[in-house]
Amino acid sequence: TPLTRKLASFSKLITLAILGLAAVTFVIGLIRGESISYMVTAAVALAVGAIPEGLPAVMTITLAIGVARMARRRTIIRRLPAVETLGSVTVICTDKTGTLTENQMTVQSAYATGRWWPIGPSPVPAAVRECLLAGVLCNDASVGSGVDHRDDNVGDPTEIALLAAAHRAAPDAVAQAVGMLRTQEIPFASELRLMATLHTTGADTAFVVVKGAVEEVVALCDMSEQEVQRVTAAAEEAGDQALRVMAFAGVGVPGDFQLALASLRATSLRFLGLQALQDPPRADALAAVAACRTAGIDVKMITGDHMRTARAIATQVGLGGDSLEVVSGGQLAEVPQSETVTKILGSHVFARVTAEQKLGIVRALQAEGHVVAMTGDGVNDAPALKQADIGIAMGQGGTDVAKETADMVLVDDDFATIEAAVEEGRTVYDNLRKFIAWTLPTNLAEGLIVLVAVILGAMLPILPIQILWINMTTALALGMMLAFEPAEPDIMTRPPRPPRQQLVTGGLLARLIVVGTAMLVGTYGVFLIAVEFGAGTSESRTIAVNALVAMEIAYLFACRSLRGSVASVGYFSNRWIWVGVAAMIALQLALTYVPVMNAVFDTAPLGGSAWLPVIAVAPLVYFVAAAVKRWDVLRGRSRSGAR
C-alpha cells in the first residue's frame, strides 16, 4: 500500500540519520578524551532518544481503530493497511446496479406489437404474455408468496423482478411455465451478455428461450432492418428514462435440439419483446458523489447496461456535471491505443464493458499516477479488484471469489458507504501524520540533548535511563491518544494528497527542526537555571525531565490539527487526550516523589518553586509550533495562488 511503501523509505532514511548522529557523537567524545564505555553509553542514549520506536505500534493501533470505525459504518476491512489506502484514493470506479441504485428492480412496462404496455394487475395482450412467459422460463430465481421484494425471494434482483411481473400481469403464464421442464441452458456471462434455456413442450418438441442485451438478442432473431430499428429506438426511449431494458426471443425446436451458441446462431429466433425495469438511484447517492467530487475524487461508473440507461442514471446521481462523457465498451475497443488513456481519463461512464476492459481501465488510471478503488461483485471482476489499489466487493450480491479477492467488503453495497470509508481512511492517515509530527521533534530533542552535551563536554541534563522512561511513557500515554482523533471538519473538502507525497513533507521537516530545537533549548535552559540556583544534580535533572515532558504535553495539543488550532477541532472532541495527559502527569509525579522511582531513575523530590520553570517553559513550545504551522499554511496558500 502507499503507506507501507512510504514507511519503508522513511525507516531507512531515519535509521541512517540516527546511526550517523550516533557515530558523530561517539567520535567527538573520543576526541574530547572521554572513555569508550562512556561514549558507547552516550551513543546508545542518543539512538534510543532519536528513534521513534512508538511509530509501529501507533500505526497498527491507528489502523485497527480505523477498521473498528469502518465496521460501524458497514464496511468490512480484510487487510489492515487497506484502511489508509482509502484515504489516498483519487479515482473510484463504481458499478451502477446496487451501488448507485437501490437494486430493487421492478418491471414497469413491456414492449410488444410495436408499442409499450404497462405492467400491472390488468390483463395483458397475448404478445406481452408470451414475453412475460419467456422471462419466467429463462430465469434462475424463485419467489415467495408475496413476490415483490420479500425476504423469501431467492436469486438475482433482475430475475426476481421478471418473475414478479409475470405473477402480477400473467399468472396463467407462470402456471404454464411450471409444466415446461428445463433440460439445457447457457448460463449468463458478461462477455456473452445473454442467457439461453431449452424446455420440453412435448414428446418430440422443445422451446428455446433467450434473454439478454438488446443488441445481442436482436442479432439472433429473424427480423427486417426496419423492425430492428423500431426495437432499438424503443430500447433507447426506455433507456433515456433510466430504465434497464432486457430483450427476449424464442422459437420451437425439435426435441433432440442441442443448445449451444453455434446452434442458436444457426436458428432463426422469433423476437418476443422487451421488458423495461426500473431501479431508482439510492437516496444518498447524489450527496455521496458530490462529497467525493468536492474531495477531489473522480467517480467513474462502469456498468454492463445500455449507454442510454447508464447516462440517465449518471445524470441523476450527478456524475460528470454538465460535461458528462459516456463511452461504450465497443467504442473503447475502437480507440487507438495511443489515445486510450486520454479517452479513459476524460470519460465518466463506461457502458457495456467487458471484464477485460475493466482491468484495462484500472491499469490505465494507475499508469497516470492515480490511486484507484474498484467495486465488483462477480467472478469476472476478480482481476480488476486484484489490480486496483483498493478492491471493494459487494457484501450482499457479491460472489465469494470477489469477496476473497477484495481488500474490503461493503455490507450494504451502498456507494455512500464507500464515501464514508474514504473519509475514515483520510482520518487514519491524518492521525498517523499527527503522531509523526508529534514524535519526531520530541525524539530529535532527546537525541540533540545528548549530542550537544558531548560536543560541549558538559554534564548530561537528562540521563540515558531517563530518556528511556520518557520514550516509554510518552509514546503510550500521549502520542497514542492521537490515534483517537475524530475527522477534522474539512477532511472531505481537501484534495487527495499526491500519491508520491512522502510522510515527512517540507512543512513537517521545518516543524521538526524548529520545535526540536525549542525543546532542546527549553530543557537545557531549565537545567542550567536549576544548577545556577543551587539545585543538586539529581534535582536539576528531575526538573529537566519534567520540563521536557511538559513541553511534549503542550506540543501534543498543537498536533491535534496539522493545519488549524486546537480550537478548530474542539478542546474536548477527543477525550482520550485528556486521559493520556492525566496519566502522564500521574506518572511524572510518581517519578518525582516515589522513593523507588528516585532510586531507579536517579530523580529527586521537588519543592513547589521548582515547578515554576517547568510550567513556564511548556507554553513557549506550543506557540513556537503554532507559528511554524501558520507559516506552513500561508506558504501553501501562496503556492496555490501562484499556480
Side-chain angles (χ1 to χ4, degrees):
T1 69
L3 176 64
T4 53
R5 290 195 296 267
K6 291 171 185 175
L7 277 175
S9 60
F10 172 73
S11 300
K12 293 176 183 177
L13 177 64
I14 199 168
T15 299
L16 292 174
I18 292 171
L19 288 176
L21 282 176
V24 169
T25 302
F26 183 79
V27 172
I28 290 175
L30 292 181
I31 293 173
R32 294 189 62 87
E34 301 289 350
S35 67
I36 293 178
S37 61
Y38 176 79
M39 288 318 304
V40 167
T41 302
V44 170
L46 184 148
V48 168
I51 291 175
E53 62 273 8
L55 180 57
V58 170
M59 182 191 76
T60 303
I61 290 173
T62 304
L63 293 174
I65 291 171
V67 168
R69 286 175 173 173
M70 289 183 183
R72 289 194 291 271
R73 302 181 80 164
R74 303 180 299 279
T75 303
I76 299 172
I77 299 296
R78 299 188 62 251
R79 296 179 180 87
L80 197 61
V83 177
E84 179 274 333
T85 309
L86 278 166
S88 58
V89 163
T90 59
V91 178
I92 299 176
C93 296
T94 176
D95 189 18
K96 175 185 75 68
T97 305
T99 308
L100 292 172
T101 64
E102 294 284 356
N103 203 21
Q104 295 289 340
M105 303 282 187
T106 304
V107 176
Q108 297 292 303
S109 56
Y111 177 86
T113 64
R115 56 164 289 188
W116 285 102
W117 300 85
I119 298 299
S122 303
V124 293
V128 175
R129 178 189 176 281
E130 194 171 16
C131 181
L132 296 177
L133 172 62
V136 176
L137 292 172
C138 196
N139 199 310
D140 290 328
S142 62
V143 298
S145 56
V147 179
D148 286 312
H149 314 312
R150 288 177 56 90
D151 292 337
D152 53 354
N153 294 340
V154 178
D156 180 79
T158 301
E159 296 191 328
I160 291 173
L162 298 177
L163 291 180
H167 275 274
R168 289 199 311 271
D172 58 327
V174 177
Q176 180 183 350
V178 173
M180 299 175 67
L181 180 65
R182 182 192 300 186
T183 57
Q184 298 177 46
E185 68 174 293
I186 299 175
F188 177 83
S190 58
E191 60 271 17
L192 296 178
R193 290 188 294 172
L194 60 79
M195 173 183 177
T197 54
L198 181 68
H199 304 263
T200 57
T201 54
D204 299 317
T205 58
F207 189 68
V208 172
V209 185
V210 177
K211 75 171 182 188
V214 176
E215 310 94 289
E216 304 298 333
V217 174
V218 166
L220 298 173
C221 295
D222 184 13
M223 302 174 66
S224 66
E225 186 63 30
Q226 289 183 333
E227 289 174 321
V228 171
Q229 291 176 356
R230 283 197 296 268
V231 170
T232 302
E236 291 177 348
E237 176 190 351
D240 289 339
Q241 301 172 37
L243 297 175
R244 184 181 186 185
V245 181
M246 299 199 73
F248 298 84
V251 70
V253 294
D256 59 353
F257 184 84
Q258 294 300 309
L259 184 60
L261 283 176
S263 59
L264 279 179
R265 294 184 177 120
T267 304
S268 296
L269 299 179
R270 182 166 57 89
F271 178 72
L272 300 178
L274 308 174
Q275 294 191 45
L277 300 92
Q278 184 182 48
D279 183 18
R282 289 183 180 268
D284 50 3
L286 179 62
V289 170
C292 287
R293 297 187 67 189
T294 301
I297 301 172
D298 192 10
V299 180
K300 298 182 183 294
M301 178 200 292
I302 301 179
T303 178
D305 279 350
H306 193 277
M307 287 181 63
R308 299 289 186 100
T309 305
R311 180 186 293 276
I313 292 293
T315 301
Q316 292 178 13
V317 299
L319 279 180
D322 297 331
S323 58
L324 182 65
E325 182 73 22
V326 183
V327 60
S328 70
Q331 292 172 339
L332 190 62
E334 294 175 358
V335 174
Q337 190 170 2
S338 59
E339 301 175 13
T340 300
V341 173
T342 303
K343 188 68 174 178
I344 289 173
L345 291 173
S347 301
H348 305 92
V349 179
F350 300 88
R352 295 285 200 240
V353 294
T354 65
E356 185 179 1
Q357 287 177 321
K358 284 186 180 182
L359 179 61
I361 291 170
V362 173
R363 285 176 172 168
L365 292 170
Q366 290 175 325
E368 291 299 302
H370 286 286
V371 179
V372 183
M374 164 65 80
T375 69
D377 55 8
V379 174
N380 292 334
D381 292 329
L385 293 175
K386 183 74 172 177
Q387 178 66 34
D389 297 279
I390 181 83
I392 306 173
M394 304 296 106
Q396 293 181 344
T399 61
D400 290 341
V401 172
K403 294 175 186 177
E404 287 296 322
T405 305
D407 301 291
M408 61 179 276
V409 179
L410 298 184
V411 175
D412 56 4
D413 296 3
D414 191 348
F415 182 83
T417 305
I418 301 177
E419 184 262 332
V422 169
E423 180 181 336
E424 290 294 348
R426 287 189 171 193
T427 302
V428 164
Y429 187 81
D430 217 25
N431 290 348
L432 282 172
R433 292 194 73 232
K434 289 173 184 177
F435 176 80
I436 292 171
W438 175 82
T439 193
L440 289 187
T442 59
N443 286 109
L444 176 65
E446 293 166 10
L448 288 178
I449 287 170
V450 177
L451 179 61
V452 170
V454 171
I455 292 174
L456 297 178
M459 180 171 51
L460 283 173
I462 299 178
L463 295 175
I465 193 170
Q466 293 169 344
I467 291 177
L468 278 172
W469 163 265
I470 294 172
N471 278 1
M472 180 180 68
T473 55
T474 57
L476 292 173
L478 300 180
M480 191 78 73
M481 301 307 149
L482 291 171
F484 296 93
E485 283 292 322
E488 293 190 33
D490 66 339
I491 196 74
M492 286 301 285
T493 59
R494 306 172 189 170
R497 65 180 184 274
R500 295 181 179 87
Q501 183 188 70
Q502 295 302 313
L503 284 171
V504 180
T505 58
L508 204 56
L509 183 61
R511 188 179 311 187
L512 161 66
I513 296 171
V514 174
V515 174
T517 303
M519 288 185 175
L520 166 68
V521 172
T523 304
Y524 248 105
V526 297
F527 176 75
L528 294 176
I529 290 172
V531 172
E532 183 69 23
F533 278 87
T537 302
S538 294
E539 186 178 357
S540 299
R541 283 173 170 159
T542 304
I543 293 173
V545 169
N546 281 299
L548 181 56
V549 170
M551 287 186 284
E552 292 188 16
I553 291 174
Y555 183 51
L556 180 72
F557 286 94
C559 291
R560 291 195 57 204
S561 173
L562 297 178
R563 297 164 179 251
S565 65
V566 65
S568 67
V569 295
Y571 291 100
F572 299 99
S573 59
N574 182 1
R575 292 173 294 179
W576 289 103
I577 287 285
W578 296 99
V579 172
V581 170
M584 196 65 235
I585 292 174
L587 288 170
Q588 286 305 114
L589 291 175
L591 180 74
T592 305
Y593 294 108
V594 175
V596 174
M597 302 290 277
N598 296 154
V600 173
F601 293 97
D602 196 14
T603 55
L606 301 178
S609 60
W611 288 98
L612 293 178
V614 173
I615 296 172
V617 76
L620 296 178
V621 173
Y622 177 86
F623 291 118
V624 167
V628 177
K629 188 192 305 183
R630 182 64 178 168
W631 168 80
D632 189 29
V633 170
L634 291 176
R635 186 185 63 158
R637 289 177 180 172
S638 176
R639 287 181 175 179
S640 297
R643 285 195 295 268

